[in-house]
Amino acid sequence: MDSADIDLLLHVARSGSLSGAAKRLSIAVSTVGRRLDALEATIGLRLIDRRMNGARLTPSGERIAALAEPVQEGLARINRTAAAMRQGGEQERVTISATEFIVADILAPALPRLFEQRPAISVILRSEAAVVSLAGREADVAVRMSRPEGNSLLAKKLPEQRLGLFASAAYLRGRDPVLLDLSAERLIVYDDSYGQLPEIEWLVAAGLEGQVAMRTGSTRALIAATKSGIGIGLLPIWAARLEGLTELPAPASIPGRAPWLVVHRDLRRLPGIRAVHAWIIDTFGRRNLVHAAGHSNHV
């Protein structure tokens, strides 16, 4: 039995599809299928239930994966420790995984401060909605929209992002925002790419789910669609104001959501990881102060 094939099984379990596992490992989907077929033949059990919309582990596959997880974690831990020892305890190349919007609009513009503090560091910014495996070194640090699970992970709550309802002048067409009846309007909101977000629960509780005309996991797409005038967007307030969109009154207070900064316990003391960890906290803190100041000026 090849341990790499067991690792492949775990990737399929995490991504929910053969194509997702193939993309993560940079191999062909056909290779993934062939190796899983060989693994099932070797074990003598059907491990994967292949469907039109993805793949799920069978009960047998789930049991095998549960046994394999700590083994793969142990191997990954050896690799992490060896890498740190080879570099004399230093790790100056750091891979950061976050959503498209956080990477492009929050972290990337703040990179000058990080390089000023640590000129020799090398950063890989990975824009992705999927939850990566820090244990498997798919990333060193991650920013996620929901709190991750796992005893090997350390998670810090970042400042909360406030959300509001916004529309373009083209959509309003001179109408008074205060007089709009949301139950008669088109709404564009986030999908469930990042899990069950609090604002989606708010939408359901407000009886507005039936008004949703578009869902997307991309904040940029959400902003672009709102600016185009197709509907009212449920957006991060600071981002919507930067785009010149008009804020609308909400029927009830919209809950904010807090990103989580995640790092593996085995990596947290490495100088490069520690520097990036502190830089991300500082970056979100600065963003929160600017947002708070903007809100104060707005009201």
Side-chain angles (χ1 to χ4, degrees):
M1 185 186 306
D2 191 335
S3 63
D5 292 340
I6 294 293
D7 187 52
L8 181 57
L9 179 70
L10 294 176
H11 275 83
V12 172
R14 292 172 189 139
S15 65
S17 69
L18 271 63
S19 60
K23 182 178 179 181
R24 184 73 64 198
L25 295 170
S26 300
I27 59 178
V29 176
S30 59
T31 301
V32 173
R34 186 174 62 253
R35 285 172 53 183
L36 288 173
D37 287 342
L39 178 62
E40 289 180 326
T42 299
I43 294 180
L45 296 168
R46 190 167 67 88
L47 305 176
I48 302 289
D49 182 10
R50 302 172 192 188
R51 305 179 179 185
M52 292 294 293
N53 61 345
R56 287 187 179 180
L57 269 59
T58 64
S60 297
E62 290 177 351
R63 291 183 65 182
I64 295 297
L67 292 172
E69 190 82 49
V71 176
Q72 296 302 104
E73 164 63 14
L75 292 173
R77 188 169 187 173
I78 291 172
N79 289 333
R80 288 192 297 270
T81 302
M85 291 171 67
R86 284 194 300 269
Q87 299 176 37
E90 293 286 337
Q91 176 165 329
E92 291 298 326
R93 190 171 104 165
V94 181
T95 299
I96 305 167
S97 171
T99 64
E100 168 206 30
F101 194 68
I102 289 175
V103 164
D105 292 74
I106 297 180
L107 297 183
L111 280 172
R113 286 200 311 276
L114 176 63
F115 289 123
E116 182 180 347
Q117 298 163 5
R118 208 165 186 86
I121 202 164
S122 172
V123 174
I124 299 174
L125 291 177
R126 290 179 50 178
S127 171
E128 51 201 349
V131 177
V132 299
S133 171
L134 297 185
R137 292 305 301 275
E138 293 176 6
D140 300 307
V141 179
V143 181
R144 283 290 165 251
M145 300 315 299
S146 58
R147 184 169 190 168
E149 298 179 358
N151 294 330
S152 62
L153 302 177
L154 296 175
K156 178 176 177 59
K157 193 175 185 179
L158 295 169
E160 185 177 84
Q161 296 184 55
R162 294 178 56 249
L163 293 102
L165 296 169
F166 289 85
S168 68
Y171 182 82
L172 291 172
R173 299 185 302 277
R175 294 182 294 167
D176 187 344
V178 177
L179 300 179
L180 292 185
D181 178 5
L182 293 178
S183 64
E185 304 292 336
R186 290 193 304 270
L187 303 181
I188 46 182
V189 302
Y190 286 99
D191 62 20
D192 58 359
S193 298
Y194 312 121
Q196 188 64 18
L197 298 174
E199 66 266 25
I200 303 305
E201 296 177 355
W202 170 87
L203 192 77
V204 174
L208 296 173
E209 190 175 26
Q211 300 309 118
V212 175
M214 188 194 93
R215 298 178 190 267
T216 177
S218 167
T219 301
R220 285 187 165 180
L222 201 57
I223 290 174
T226 304
K227 289 175 67 177
S228 76
I230 67 166
I232 296 171
L234 184 53
L235 294 163
I237 289 176
W238 68 269
R241 287 180 180 162
L242 285 177
E243 298 294 337
L245 294 167
T246 300
E247 188 169 2
L248 313 178
S253 178
I254 302 173
R257 60 165 130 101
W260 290 86
L261 176 57
V262 191
V263 65
H264 198 282
R265 289 182 183 275
D266 292 344
L267 300 179
R268 70 190 189 280
R269 291 192 179 91
L270 295 177
I273 299 290
R274 197 165 59 239
V276 166
H277 194 273
W279 165 71
I280 292 176
I281 293 173
D282 177 67
T283 297
F284 272 83
R286 288 170 183 260
R287 173 70 66 182
N288 199 47
L289 287 174
V290 170
H291 172 199
H295 177 64
S296 176
N297 293 334
H298 181 77
V299 297

